[in-house]
Amino acid sequence: MIWLALTLLAPLGAALAVFGLRRAPGVIALAGAGLGLLGAFGLFARAAGGAEVTATLPFLPDLPILLVAGPLTATLALVVATVAAMVLLYATGYMAHDPEKLRFFGTMLMFVAAMELLVLSGDWITLLAAWELIGFASYLLIGFWYSREGVPGAAMRAFLYTRTADLGLYIAAFLLIGLAGTSEISATLATAGTPALIAGLLLLFAAMGKSAQVPMQDWLMRAMAGPTPVSALLHSATLVAAGAILLIRTAPMLPDGALLAVGLVGGVTAVVAGLMALAAGDLKRLLAASTASQYGLMLVALGAGAPVAALLHLIAHAAIKSALFLGAGVFQHDRDSTDLEALAGAGRARPGIFAGFALAALALAGLPPMAAFFSKDAILAAALDSPFAVWLLPLALLGSVLTGAYMARALRVLWTGAPGKAADPAPLMSAGMGVLVALAATLGFGFKPLEAMLSAHVPEPAWIIPAMGLAVGLIGLALGWFFQPARLLGPLLGPASEGFVIAGGMQALVARPALALAAACERFEQRLLAAVMAIGRINLSIGVGARRMDKDTIDAAIFGLVDRAIALGARARRLQSGFIHREMALTFAGIALVVGVLLVTPLYL
Amino acid sequence: MIPELVIALSVGAALFGVGLYGALSQTNLVMIIMGVELVLAAALVNMVAFWRYLHPDVTAAKMFVLIVMAVMAVEMAVGFGIAIARFRSRGSVEMEEARELKG
Amino acid sequence: MPLLTIATFLPILAGLALMALPDRSARIAHGVSIAATGAVFLITLVIWARGITPGSFAQIEEIAWIPAIGAAYRLGVDGLSLPLVLLTSLLFLLSAIYSARVSERAATYVVLMLMLETASLGTFMALDGLLFYVFFEVSLVGMYFMIVGWGYEDRQRAGLMFFLYTLLGSLPLLLAIIALYLGSGTFDMRDWIDAPPLAGIAAMLALIAMLFTFAVKIPAFPVHTWLPAAHVQAPTAGSVILAGVMLKFGTYGLVRFAYQMTPEAFVQAGQVILAFGVVSALYGAFAALAQTDLKKMIAYTSVNHMGYVVMGVAVAALATDPRIRTIGLDGATLQMVSHGLVTGALFFLVGMLQDRAHSRGLGEFGGLLARVPWLGWAFILSAFASLGLPGLAHFPAEFQVFLATLNVAPWAIVAILAIVVTAALYLRAIGAVFLGEANPKWAEMPDLDGREKLVIVPLLILTVLVGVAPGWLIDIIHTTMASLGN
């Protein structure tokens, strides 16, 4: 339990300490990462011993937060903690002169805590929550230098791409929870049939976003606008691993249809991203494309039904790629750019760093006895043995060739050229990178015990597999070293350097229709408002009509009556002439009239 | 119809007509009063004629005639008093000029 | 101790006392308002501590008025109204603190706000049909004068439209209340809930009438157009109260009246209501995306969030599994509270920005994060809460609503697209206002001062608290919703 708390709370506590105390961020960060690493070691040791550490926290009624540190999750937790510790060590050197390093270290620590939460989650809500939180941390970290041009856009793009893909995870989680009646992940893995297929495809969609698989690879390229430690930690070893981790954990549930889809997506990405890496003009973009490609290979392994192979490659890749990024960061510090042209010969000025870089590069290409050799063999073996071998194996092999090619290219560029001025020593950066390089070289030997711990049996491959792996690796390296990418790619150079944007890419396919829909809604709003105003105006005109009826009809009638009565009175007034004669005449006329009436009435009544 | 009565009533009617015509057509107040006197006189003639030829034994009629004559006299006095008052204030008793009561 | 009555009427009594004072300067006025709203907040905390009972109303305070028709002055709370009451008293207190900046005709402003608080608390706590309607309508008057007296450029038109629109919208509710009375012979809401008096066509007609009123108030598509105009033109505290409290009248009424008093008709109409909720959610999000005025943008996201509430209630009605039903209702109610906290915070922040810049347009700003970090980070946190980031207020509620939706009416899950749209619009706003190159026009912009921090920090803390550990709030809600589910 204490290990669990340490793994999760040490980075989180360190983040709060950094933001609260606002001093010594590097030291606090290292302390937090170190304690977290200690905790992860503890969990790993317990899991290796066979014990599974779990914890339950209340959240929603019937839907608690579950944490579980079994063999798989404890291993991943250790991977995350190790890479995080080394990258943070490196970052204390890299970010030493940045005025905003408080925010940097605090956010990085928050990310580490969230990532650990993700790998250790035992229920869907926690996994989903952590999934989104690492996306949030990624947004903050990619957008770290937010006043630079293009950076806010890159951060927004990354978040939106992954958020769209996260819909898959949301819906899959709802589906699985609803069917299983509980949010516990291991319980929901018993789902089968069509729901499992649908859930599997949805999870694949989510993984495609997070792991930058085709067609959602663009955000990763742009994410390189962030500081290099961010690229090393998030965008090579941890955040992008989340997609693969998700599929590895749910592998028992995925039916054949889903597996085929996974494998194809992975294979296509391995090739497409590999081509993009070869055509890249910027070292970090090269490494980013390479990351997408490697995760494609992991998905191929998953599609072939060998999640353990994917896991092994994930671990190897984590160490290798982060080491490569850290090396790129050192070169970036020297030359103030990551453009391949600007970096020409940078390796010569720092032989030690370059050696580490080269070692990691060769490891990635699959040379023995380094880690990726074993993992790549496992992938190729699985691809060969799988029912979809006809698709998966060629894609995997091509991906491996391209791996060697672009790594060799990078090495060649770094080595050929003028060394430039002497470089300042960078002890912290070298230390961080060095450990990861060492791991990259030696992890292979730990794979067998690891497989035992996971109770997974990866059969020894026939000799053809290592031979194939070695061959494609060497061929790739040779191609990359001796030939220019333009020659290798031929007509594909243009699309590759553009990122294989089809039909305008996400911008045209998603963003512009969404904005058009938004504008249409706004126009509809205006019309609704106009309708409401029109109703108001109709009522006003009814009111005016009522007033007019009052004035013209009713009042007119009454006042007309009054006027006529007055006119009649005026006429009667004329009798009052004041003349005695007239008065008397009228008097006698009246008398005569009365007499006449009096005389006549007895005759008729 | 007693013929004498008819003659007396005709005389009375003639007097009435003359008096009425005079009251209505004359412009001088004195002439108007004369006309009114003649109308009253005509009423008296009618009354005497009816008494003499229809009810000769009713003595109250003689009293009535005398009372009417007295009233005539009083009324004439008042009328002339008004005429003198008007003459004194306006210098004339022409009724055409008396429009004060016009409404 | 009749705490409910005291809490309800203390504000207006304080307002009247203010009117009686000889010296009604701004300082005295705002002092009275802060004291009164603060006292009410504390009283509501005590009401919370006193507790509620599952399955019925608690802390009933009753004075008979017309026993022959069952009309009485009757207040009470349960798991639906108590969180809203707490939200109301908190938001009014914070609005009072924020409004201390209002200097012209401050006393009148304060009295209007206190009158609004009385009306709001009364609406949520009333257990008599007539009493509910009175409080419901009185709030319109207060808000109208607030908008017209202290609003922005186009306030006359907006205030008038707001008042007439919502007043007209409220008339069907009166008919429904009368129908309920005719069906049961009393105005006691508890009787209407325990034994729904109408059936068949009468119930359906009453439901339609009530739905019309509450749809205007919530606001749901297509009778929502009064909201953007009213929000944009209202003064900041007015917007906060309008969004944070008065919109909840509609959703409260949806559950209390429509769902609880005409249950069978509600189930029959469930799919239609769900459709309106889905359309509101999506339409609100897309319309918000098209806005360039910050306040209007946030106003449209209110339509979106309230759409989720409608969805939650509708799927709860359609659900056959009582667990799913409770999840839907829990989520809907939690969403009401979360929206009040988060959107209240957003309106406060936009108001603070507008006070500094006298502008709300997205294109006017740029790079402000370095210049006004408190304002900027508070906005970023609230914006991410509004778009549903886990760990912050809206996530637990939206998760529950969507979970229930997918398991009851799978077609309606299309509304989840809205969370991507809201993410896009908020990120665009953040990028345009706070990130990027610093706009030299605002080089002198001051950051939040002490009072503004005092207003915004509690909301941010609650946003995180509700997001990470919603248990304390959900327990209150669940007490009642669990029994509603059966």
Side-chain angles (χ1 to χ4, degrees):
Chain A
M1 184 53 70
I2 175 133
W3 305 118
L4 201 56
L6 212 52
T7 314
L8 287 169
L9 294 177
L12 183 62
L16 292 172
V18 166
F19 283 126
L21 296 174
R22 308 197 80 88
R23 54 177 55 238
V27 171
I28 298 180
L30 285 177
L35 287 172
L37 184 56
L38 189 63
F41 263 122
L43 285 176
F44 185 73
R46 303 278 325 257
E52 193 178 85
V53 181
T54 56
T56 309
L57 296 167
F59 187 58
L60 295 171
D62 294 335
L63 298 168
I65 295 178
L66 290 170
L67 300 168
V68 59
L72 176 60
T73 50
T75 312
L76 289 169
L78 185 58
V79 169
V80 170
T82 312
V83 177
M86 292 309 119
V87 169
L88 281 172
L89 177 62
Y90 173 95
T92 45
Y94 184 91
M95 298 294 282
H97 300 296
D98 192 296
E100 299 259 3
K101 57 183 180 180
L102 259 174
R103 184 160 50 94
F104 178 80
F105 282 109
T107 320
M108 286 285 264
L109 287 164
M110 257 176 47
F111 168 78
V112 174
M115 189 70 209
E116 291 284 13
L117 187 65
L118 187 135
V119 301
L120 289 170
S121 58
D123 75 298
W124 282 108
I125 302 186
T126 312
L127 190 131
L128 185 64
W131 188 275
E132 295 270 15
L133 283 172
I134 59 176
F136 178 55
S138 166
Y139 170 78
L140 292 175
L141 287 167
I142 296 174
F144 183 70
W145 290 312
Y146 54 78
S147 40
R148 294 193 193 173
E149 198 187 314
V151 167
M156 179 165 137
R157 189 177 282 248
F159 191 83
L160 285 178
Y161 268 68
T162 48
R163 180 86 167 176
T164 313
D166 293 348
L167 291 181
L169 182 57
Y170 271 97
I171 301 179
F174 296 140
L175 190 59
L176 291 171
I177 295 176
L179 284 172
T182 169
S183 60
E184 201 187 329
I185 296 183
S186 46
T188 57
L189 291 180
T191 318
T194 322
L197 180 62
I198 299 176
L201 291 172
L202 288 168
L203 291 172
L204 172 63
F205 187 64
M208 278 159 68
K210 263 304 191 277
S211 298
Q213 302 294 294
V214 164
M216 292 190 245
Q217 76 280 14
D218 190 51
W219 74 265
L220 191 60
M221 308 303 134
R222 294 185 194 253
M224 296 300 111
T228 305
V230 172
S231 311
L233 180 58
L234 273 72
H235 303 125
S236 63
T238 46
L239 186 143
V240 291
I245 293 174
L246 178 68
L247 291 173
I248 292 173
R249 282 189 75 173
T250 55
M253 182 190 77
L254 300 175
D256 281 345
L259 288 177
L260 177 60
V262 171
L264 282 177
V265 166
V268 169
T269 306
V271 172
V272 167
L275 291 171
M276 280 168 62
L278 196 53
D282 176 293
L283 182 59
K284 279 180 76 174
R285 281 188 73 123
L286 187 150
L287 293 174
S290 161
T291 304
S293 170
Q294 296 303 311
Y295 278 98
L297 286 176
M298 289 180 226
L299 259 67
V300 166
L302 278 161
V308 181
L311 177 66
L312 296 178
H313 197 61
L314 192 152
I315 299 172
H317 175 263
I320 296 171
K321 194 49 69 62
S322 48
L324 287 171
F325 266 110
L326 296 184
V330 177
F331 299 136
Q332 181 187 30
H333 249 231
D334 287 343
R335 299 291 178 95
D336 257 341
S337 159
T338 48
D339 236 34
L340 278 175
E341 290 169 1
L343 287 175
R348 282 188 190 264
R350 286 190 185 269
I353 300 281
F354 183 74
F357 191 90
L359 198 60
L362 293 174
L364 191 63
L367 293 187
M370 293 180 279
F373 170 67
F374 296 105
S375 57
K376 200 159 291 191
D377 279 351
I379 297 177
L380 291 174
L384 187 58
D385 285 335
S386 93
F388 315 118
V390 63
W391 300 105
L392 298 180
L393 190 60
L395 291 171
L397 287 172
L398 192 50
S400 307
V401 171
L402 288 168
T403 309
Y406 56 68
M407 286 308 356
R409 175 165 176 250
L411 289 175
R412 185 184 178 131
V413 166
L414 286 171
W415 191 251
T416 48
K421 60 181 176 25
D424 309 323
L428 290 163
M429 296 204 274
S430 312
M433 184 181 165
V435 171
L436 287 169
V437 171
L439 284 172
T442 57
L443 266 179
F445 302 109
F447 280 166
K448 270 282 168 283
L450 187 60
E451 287 168 26
M453 181 174 123
L454 291 166
S455 323
H457 187 66
V458 174
E460 281 290 331
W463 66 269
I464 179 104
I465 301 292
M468 252 199 311
L470 194 55
V472 293
L474 290 171
I475 293 171
L477 285 168
L479 282 174
W481 186 268
F482 293 116
F483 295 102
Q484 285 292 334
R487 270 199 69 183
L488 287 172
L489 290 172
L492 288 173
L493 183 66
S497 35
E498 292 297 308
F500 283 104
V501 171
I502 311 169
M506 286 293 152
Q507 185 70 25
L509 287 173
V510 175
R512 229 174 279 146
L515 288 171
L517 187 56
C521 286
E522 174 65 14
R523 277 196 302 276
F524 188 75
E525 276 295 289
Q526 301 297 340
R527 258 186 249 139
L528 268 183
L529 201 65
V532 170
M533 289 295 161
I535 293 178
R537 266 195 296 278
I538 291 174
N539 281 310
L540 268 178
S541 58
I542 292 177
V544 167
R547 189 178 61 180
R548 200 158 356 112
M549 188 163 92
D550 252 10
K551 201 160 71 126
D552 294 348
T553 326
I554 300 171
D555 279 356
I558 294 175
F559 286 122
L561 208 62
V562 169
D563 288 337
R564 268 188 282 285
I566 291 176
L568 208 60
R571 285 232 203 101
R573 222 187 322 120
R574 267 190 256 143
L575 288 173
Q576 291 292 112
S577 58
F579 272 142
I580 303 276
H581 285 123
R582 287 224 198 121
E583 310 278 326
M584 279 208 301
L586 282 174
T587 310
F588 280 113
I591 292 173
L593 186 65
V594 169
V595 168
V597 167
L598 282 174
L599 283 178
V600 162
T601 38
L603 295 176
Y604 291 102
L605 291 177
Chain B
M1 270 282 122
I2 306 165
E4 295 88 354
L5 181 59
V6 174
I7 295 169
L9 289 180
S10 314
V11 169
L15 269 179
F16 183 87
V18 170
L20 186 62
Y21 177 75
L24 290 180
S25 67
Q26 293 299 313
T27 57
N28 200 307
L29 180 61
V30 176
M31 300 305 290
I32 293 173
I33 295 174
M34 269 169 60
V36 171
E37 293 301 305
L38 278 177
V39 165
L40 279 170
L44 272 180
V45 168
N46 271 19
M47 182 194 294
V48 169
F50 280 123
W51 169 65
R52 171 67 179 78
Y53 292 110
L54 292 181
H55 300 282
D57 45 337
V58 176
T59 47
K62 296 187 235 185
M63 299 303 301
F64 203 45
V65 170
L66 285 173
I67 290 174
V68 172
M69 281 184 172
V71 171
M72 275 169 66
V74 170
E75 169 254 318
M76 245 205 305
V78 173
F80 278 118
I82 294 174
I84 290 170
R86 178 141 180 104
F87 183 77
R88 281 192 185 149
S89 75
R90 291 298 158 92
S92 135
V93 283
E94 289 297 310
M95 285 295 104
E96 290 288 304
E97 297 154 18
R99 288 171 169 265
E100 284 81 359
L101 283 180
K102 183 171 170 66
Chain C
M1 187 84 171
L3 284 182
L4 270 62
T5 307
I6 297 177
T8 307
F9 287 103
L10 183 60
I12 193 62
L13 289 174
L16 290 174
L18 176 64
M19 279 287 117
L21 287 178
D23 171 19
R24 294 203 292 272
S25 67
R27 274 197 62 199
I28 305 268
H30 290 304
V32 168
S33 82
I34 295 176
T37 50
V40 171
F41 180 66
L42 291 174
I43 295 177
T44 52
L45 289 179
V46 176
I47 293 175
W48 180 19
R50 272 195 186 172
I52 54 173
T53 55
S56 69
F57 292 95
Q59 306 184 39
I60 310 260
E61 291 164 25
E62 185 166 354
I63 302 174
W65 181 30
I66 312 175
I69 57 171
Y73 168 80
R74 194 178 300 119
L75 300 181
V77 287
D78 75 336
L80 174 62
S81 48
L82 183 58
L84 294 173
V85 164
L86 290 168
L87 177 71
T88 305
S89 61
L90 176 67
L91 282 179
F92 270 99
L93 173 59
L94 296 177
S95 298
I97 299 175
Y98 181 83
S99 299
R101 68 184 321 110
V102 170
S103 50
E104 45 170 283
R105 296 166 288 148
T108 321
Y109 184 91
V110 160
V111 171
L112 282 171
M113 196 158 71
L114 293 173
M115 178 174 111
L116 268 177
E117 181 163 20
T118 296
S120 309
L121 289 171
T123 310
F124 288 130
M125 295 200 278
L127 287 181
D128 178 274
L130 286 179
L131 195 64
F132 174 85
Y133 193 74
V134 167
F135 280 125
F136 194 76
E137 296 294 277
V138 164
S139 63
L140 294 183
V141 174
M143 185 50 74
Y144 169 75
F145 280 113
M146 223 184 207
I147 295 177
V148 166
W150 288 267
Y152 296 105
E153 332 74 64
D154 200 17
R155 58 187 183 273
Q156 307 283 357
R157 214 173 71 132
L160 194 61
M161 180 162 88
F162 157 76
F163 185 79
L164 290 177
Y165 205 129
T166 40
L167 187 68
L168 195 66
S170 309
L171 292 178
L173 177 63
L174 186 59
L175 291 177
I177 288 177
I178 295 175
L180 286 166
Y181 162 71
L182 290 174
S184 65
T186 168
F187 278 102
D188 191 339
M189 278 163 63
R190 294 173 299 180
D191 291 340
W192 290 348
I193 291 173
D194 292 332
L198 300 172
I201 280 290
M204 184 52 81
L205 287 176
L207 177 68
I208 292 174
M210 289 194 274
L211 283 177
F212 185 76
T213 300
F214 296 128
V216 170
K217 204 67 179 176
I218 282 173
F221 182 90
V223 285
H224 62 284
T225 41
W226 60 270
L227 184 73
H231 262 127
V232 168
Q233 303 300 332
T236 304
S239 292
V240 170
I241 293 169
L242 188 55
V245 179
M246 286 175 67
L247 295 190
K248 310 304 176 297
F249 293 171
T251 50
Y252 170 80
L254 186 69
V255 179
R256 179 72 78 219
F257 280 83
Y259 181 84
Q260 288 187 287
M261 295 179 190
T262 52
E264 285 125 20
F266 199 98
V267 173
Q268 285 169 2
Q271 294 280 354
V272 175
I273 301 174
L274 181 61
F276 273 110
V278 170
V279 172
S280 292
L282 286 170
Y283 183 86
F286 275 107
L289 185 60
Q291 301 303 321
T292 51
D293 178 326
L294 269 172
K295 253 182 146 181
K296 229 176 172 187
M297 187 180 89
I298 300 171
Y300 277 109
T301 62
S302 290
V303 178
N304 163 265
H305 288 307
M306 292 293 109
Y308 294 145
V309 175
V310 174
M311 278 170 64
V313 180
V315 300
L318 291 169
T320 46
D321 180 355
R323 273 195 349 167
I324 300 277
R325 192 174 304 161
T326 320
I327 289 178
L329 287 172
D330 278 349
T333 314
L334 189 59
Q335 176 82 332
M336 291 186 219
V337 179
S338 311
H339 176 261
L341 295 171
V342 172
T343 307
L346 282 170
F347 273 117
F348 272 128
L349 289 166
V350 172
M352 293 171 194
L353 189 62
Q354 186 171 13
D355 288 334
R356 286 159 172 72
H358 300 288
S359 160
R360 293 183 305 262
L362 275 184
E364 309 260 327
F365 302 103
L368 286 182
L369 190 58
R371 185 70 219 141
V372 282
W374 271 91
L375 184 65
W377 284 107
F379 188 88
I380 291 178
L381 189 69
S382 301
F384 271 94
S386 186
L387 66 88
L389 189 73
L392 298 174
H394 278 285
F395 176 71
E398 285 174 15
F399 186 87
Q400 286 181 305
V401 168
F402 286 129
L403 177 61
T405 305
L406 185 63
N407 285 291
V408 171
W411 65 268
I413 203 67
V414 67
I416 206 173
L417 278 174
I419 68 173
V420 180
V421 180
T422 43
L425 70 98
Y426 274 118
L427 287 183
R428 194 182 61 155
I430 294 172
V433 174
F434 293 106
L435 306 180
E437 219 177 284
N439 192 330
K441 204 158 79 161
W442 312 116
E444 296 299 312
M445 190 184 277
D447 203 356
L448 298 187
D449 63 27
R451 190 180 52 215
E452 290 170 328
K453 281 187 199 160
L454 184 60
V455 167
I456 206 71
V457 166
L459 289 174
L460 295 177
I461 291 177
L462 279 171
T463 301
V464 175
L465 193 61
V466 171
V468 171
W472 56 277
L473 189 53
I474 291 222
D475 281 341
I476 309 174
I477 302 172
H478 198 70
T479 317
T480 300
M481 296 306 161
S483 51
L484 271 190
N486 301 319

